[in-house]
Amino acid sequence: MSAPLSAAVLPFLPFSRPTIDEGTIAAVGDVLRSGWISSGPRVHDFEQQLSAYFGGRPVLTFNSGTSTMEIALRVAGVGAGDEVVTTPISWPATANVILAVGATPVFADIDPAARNIDLDQLEAAITPRTRALIPVHLAGLPVDMDRLYAIAARHRLRVVEDAAQAFGSRWHGRRVGAFGDLVSFSFQANKNLTTGEGGCLVLNDAGEAALAAKYRLQGVTRSGVDGIDVDLPGGKHNMSDIMAAIGLGQFANIDAVTAHRRALARHYFARFGAGFESASGARLPLADFEHGNWHLFQIILPDRGPGTRAGFMEAMACRGIGTGFHYAPIHLFSLYRARGYAEGMFPVAERVGRLTVTLPMFHAMTFDDVERVVAAVESILIHARVPR
Ligand SMILES: *Cc1c(COP(=O)(O)O)cnc(C)c1O
């Protein structure tokens, strides 16, 4: 098979790529030359700025979004014997942290339109052992926060929002993170705001922040004559000033990043046009321009049997375009099958997990790039009608 002409003349377009400006690179250099490269003044400054952004709520930074979520569960008092209800369509971290604190993950199926956890099924999965809920704002689109927090209040449950993908998202005008219970963000390389690796947690009050700070660094607390004690088995989860310098540079641009991603998403919808879904059998994401930050632009492929997605991704790669999939259903991984989960339990998640594809979406992308992606998708799904 000969590669299409476009692959020969255009550079490869990845599905995601971080944008780090020269000012940020210089700021990292300053940290490296300063003699203080671990947690210090930059981390403090970053946490202050984040706290102001989230309406003055306490914010702590961490070395990953996974650490952030695990410590959120510990702060919420979740442990052995507790159940936590979550979605099977997420990165494995969402469920793995529940196991890490000794609790039991309980999955509920997703809603096929938003692809987030279905809140009716979430409520149906609550038992007397349920202690907390972990909704995921997939692709940056928030779950219905009014309904979520009404359910949590009705059953007296803690909420740890997996807002890893939702920095810059809003719920009816309010920033995700500026309200609610414990809200966890990731700053991993592909996220809208990155520190290379990292995360932050928005908490309710100074007491929770002090507890999270102890879990973050070996359980160390200031007390006694020598000013140090350890009173719980904390770990090593702190962010360095090198990471925080990247975060400060990224944070300064976050509104422009969100606006550009929204414009790219609008262009995707305009170029696919009203007839795309019926002509291709594929499904576009919800055209919600009020709430999400467009972390990912995902389509659901028409089901053409086993290998549908692999064939599509390969055909896109032949056209010089990278794609990804987010995510394979967690309950079908062997770790979770061994705990009693099996095929057929969450049919919507299983279908979406098999057929979802992430198209390119990142800050340095142009409208021309969007047009190139749309032309490639249409040539595969509509004109050729063979994904393999
Ligand atoms: C990125 C991500 C995480 C984990 O964050 P890390 O920083 O990679 O540990 C968790 N949940 C979701 C939905 C994510 O996208």
Side-chain angles (χ1 to χ4, degrees):
M1 183 172 71
S2 66
L5 186 61
S6 62
V9 297
L10 291 171
F12 185 78
L13 181 71
F15 85 83
S16 180
R17 188 172 65 213
T19 297
I20 311 287
D21 62 32
E22 290 302 321
T24 302
I25 293 170
V28 170
D30 289 345
V31 172
L32 294 175
R33 281 185 288 266
S34 74
W36 191 285
I37 60 174
S38 186
S39 305
R42 301 302 197 291
V43 166
H44 181 75
D45 191 13
F46 190 31
E47 289 179 344
Q48 296 290 302
Q49 292 195 23
L50 291 169
S51 174
Y53 180 80
F54 294 121
R57 302 184 74 198
V59 177
L60 291 186
T61 55
F62 293 86
N63 58 359
S64 76
T66 305
S67 295
T68 303
M69 296 234 296
E70 180 179 328
I71 288 169
L73 287 174
R74 294 192 192 282
V75 167
V78 176
D82 296 331
E83 292 176 355
V84 179
V85 184
T86 193
T87 171
I89 294 294
S90 186
W91 181 236
T94 307
N96 285 351
V97 293
I98 300 170
L99 294 176
V101 302
T104 302
V106 173
F107 297 106
D109 209 349
I110 62 167
D111 150 26
R115 305 161 196 172
N116 281 326
I117 194 164
D118 178 316
L119 293 176
D120 291 324
Q121 306 223 27
L122 171 147
E123 189 163 22
I126 293 170
T127 75
R129 298 164 79 99
T130 307
R131 184 75 174 260
L133 309 172
I134 303 186
V136 176
H137 308 313
L138 191 72
L141 182 68
V143 304
D144 181 331
M145 301 289 234
D146 301 328
R147 285 196 60 209
L148 171 76
Y149 278 101
I151 292 167
R154 191 152 58 235
H155 298 273
R156 297 175 195 286
L157 301 173
R158 296 299 302 263
V159 175
V160 175
E161 290 177 42
D162 183 347
Q165 303 185 355
F167 202 102
S169 299
R170 289 174 180 265
W171 178 249
H172 293 308
R174 288 193 294 171
R175 287 184 177 129
V176 168
F179 64 99
D181 193 354
L182 298 164
V183 187
S184 170
F185 294 92
S186 165
F187 301 141
Q188 180 267 341
N190 287 339
K191 302 289 163 41
N192 292 23
L193 190 168
T194 185
T195 57
E197 300 288 355
C200 79
L201 179 63
V202 188
L203 306 108
N204 293 293
D205 55 45
E208 279 186 356
L211 184 58
K214 279 201 280 184
Y215 280 119
R216 181 170 65 174
L217 200 57
Q218 314 296 357
V220 168
T221 182
R222 310 249 167 249
S223 74
V225 181
D226 293 319
I228 185 168
D229 188 23
V230 173
D231 62 359
L232 56 80
K236 171 69 178 177
H237 305 288
N238 56 304
M239 177 178 281
S240 75
D241 268 20
I242 302 169
M243 300 154 88
I246 303 172
L248 286 162
Q250 294 265 301
F251 180 65
N253 291 328
I254 192 65
D255 290 342
V257 167
T258 308
H260 185 60
R261 285 174 174 267
R262 193 169 293 139
L264 291 171
R266 279 192 193 280
H267 204 59
Y268 264 124
F269 281 101
R271 286 293 158 152
F272 276 124
F276 170 74
E277 292 194 332
S278 56
S280 67
R283 287 281 163 273
L284 295 173
L286 275 185
D288 179 335
F289 292 95
E290 186 189 351
H291 300 109
N293 64 355
W294 295 99
H295 172 60
L296 304 171
F297 192 96
Q298 300 177 294
I299 65 171
I300 311 289
L301 297 173
D303 191 355
R304 293 177 189 166
T308 294
R309 179 169 53 206
F312 176 83
M313 291 176 75
E314 197 184 305
M316 289 293 280
C318 284
R319 289 159 174 79
I321 298 171
T323 54
F325 64 91
H326 305 87
Y327 291 98
I330 298 172
H331 70 284
L332 297 182
F333 290 132
S334 37
L335 179 67
Y336 293 89
R337 286 180 187 267
R339 301 178 70 90
Y341 286 102
E343 232 119 24
M345 286 181 163
F346 308 108
V348 182
E350 288 164 26
R351 189 185 149 74
V352 166
R354 198 159 49 79
L355 297 170
T356 189
V357 172
T358 302
L359 301 181
M361 170 64 83
F362 54 91
H363 185 62
M365 240 178 108
T366 64
F367 285 12
D368 283 350
D369 291 330
V370 168
E371 286 161 28
R372 187 179 156 198
V373 176
V374 170
V377 170
E378 289 182 342
S379 80
I380 296 162
L381 292 183
I382 300 175
H383 307 311
R385 297 216 66 101
V386 274
R388 289 180 268 273

